[in-house]
Amino acid sequence: MTKKQLLDELKSKMEADTSLPLRGGATQLVFGDGDPDTEILFIGEGPGYWEDQKGVPFVGNAGLLLNQILLKIGVERRNIYITNVVHHRPPENRDPTAEEIMAYQTYLDEIIKIIDPKMIVTLGRFSMGKFMPNVFISSVHGREKAVDWKGKSITVVPMYHPAAALRSTEVKLKLTADFERLPEVLKKIKEKNDTIGEVAKKVEQMALV
Ligand code: URA
């Protein structure tokens, strides 16, 4: 099955899951959007008003800013995949609780597993907390970190949430500067993977002699 088919199947499963705590107050499920074969997965917080109306993540003002910053670094929104830690809109856009995040976690983990990205960019403190608990976003934003995720090393780049950048020019400047580093971070990950691949090939060849 292709990644798209696997994601479609997971989405149907989620739509049928009546145990999800925020579904009662939401218009619809906001599963994810973009290219399932991407190298970069973005994870936000949860749907807001427009996302809830349209069923697509990051289509409100924060999404427009995100699209602009992506274009600045030469990345089109349709070439990345984007999802959230909770996939139904919390009432009045309040923060999701720890219990709610836990309830959606299995699905988010499955999305990550299917996409298998080279890099995860977290937007805001809730998605950052999934990979880097007990840190302040002000201390770690924009700095990539190799994180052990289910026995696999994955590069995570914590970013400020675009909604915070809409409220503060200082945060917007920091967010833009952090995004400008992303192409270089991705290049480094690929170079490292190539080296690991070459070493593995050499070890295999030596074992054959
Ligand atoms: N903010 C988020 O974190 N996610 C969305 O989908 C929209 C706004």
Side-chain angles (χ1 to χ4, degrees), residues 30 44-48 51 56-59 62 84 123 161:
V30 181
E45 183 181 317
E51 290 76 22
V56 181
F58 284 92
V59 288
N84 284 306
L123 300 170
H161 196 287

Side-chain angles (χ1 to χ4, degrees), residues 48-202:
Y49 175 81
W50 286 110
E51 290 76 22
D52 177 66
Q53 292 292 309
K54 298 192 176 174
V56 181
F58 284 92
V59 288
N61 286 338
L64 291 180
L65 178 62
L66 177 68
N67 295 351
Q68 276 173 19
I69 302 179
L70 281 171
L71 276 181
K72 235 181 165 178
I73 61 161
V75 176
E76 283 192 46
R77 164 79 180 254
R78 64 187 164 92
N79 296 131
I80 56 129
Y81 196 88
I82 189 157
T83 187
N84 284 306
V85 286
V86 298
H87 305 80
H88 288 110
R89 182 191 184 204
E92 273 115 52
N93 291 351
R94 66 158 169 75
D95 289 346
T97 65
E99 290 74 27
E100 285 161 355
I101 293 173
M102 280 277 279
Y104 288 81
Q105 178 171 280
T106 343
Y107 291 105
L108 177 56
D109 285 347
E110 197 55 32
I111 292 174
I112 298 172
K113 200 172 137 205
I114 292 170
I115 295 196
D116 189 23
K118 291 199 165 48
M119 171 163 86
I120 291 179
V121 177
T122 58
L123 300 170
R125 63 197 161 96
F126 291 98
S127 48
M128 177 186 74
K130 177 173 174 66
F131 304 98
M132 303 176 193
N134 309 320
V135 296
F136 289 108
I137 200 157
S138 52
S139 323
V140 298
H141 68 90
R143 295 216 307 264
E144 69 275 23
K145 190 171 191 288
V147 167
D148 179 68
W149 187 77
K150 297 184 183 289
K152 192 176 169 212
S153 175
I154 183 150
T155 301
V156 176
V157 190
M159 296 281 190
Y160 281 109
H161 196 287
L166 287 173
R167 293 189 294 265
S168 153
T169 311
E170 194 190 332
V171 172
K172 188 174 173 182
L173 289 173
K174 285 182 182 162
L175 182 67
T176 308
D178 289 344
F179 263 70
E180 277 164 354
R181 285 194 58 243
L182 282 184
E184 187 57 34
V185 176
L186 189 59
K187 193 169 155 233
K188 270 202 278 177
I189 298 169
K190 286 189 191 170
E191 281 166 3
K192 196 171 154 207
N193 287 351
D194 286 350
T195 314
I196 293 171
E198 272 165 37
V199 171
K201 222 190 272 168
K202 279 208 183 109

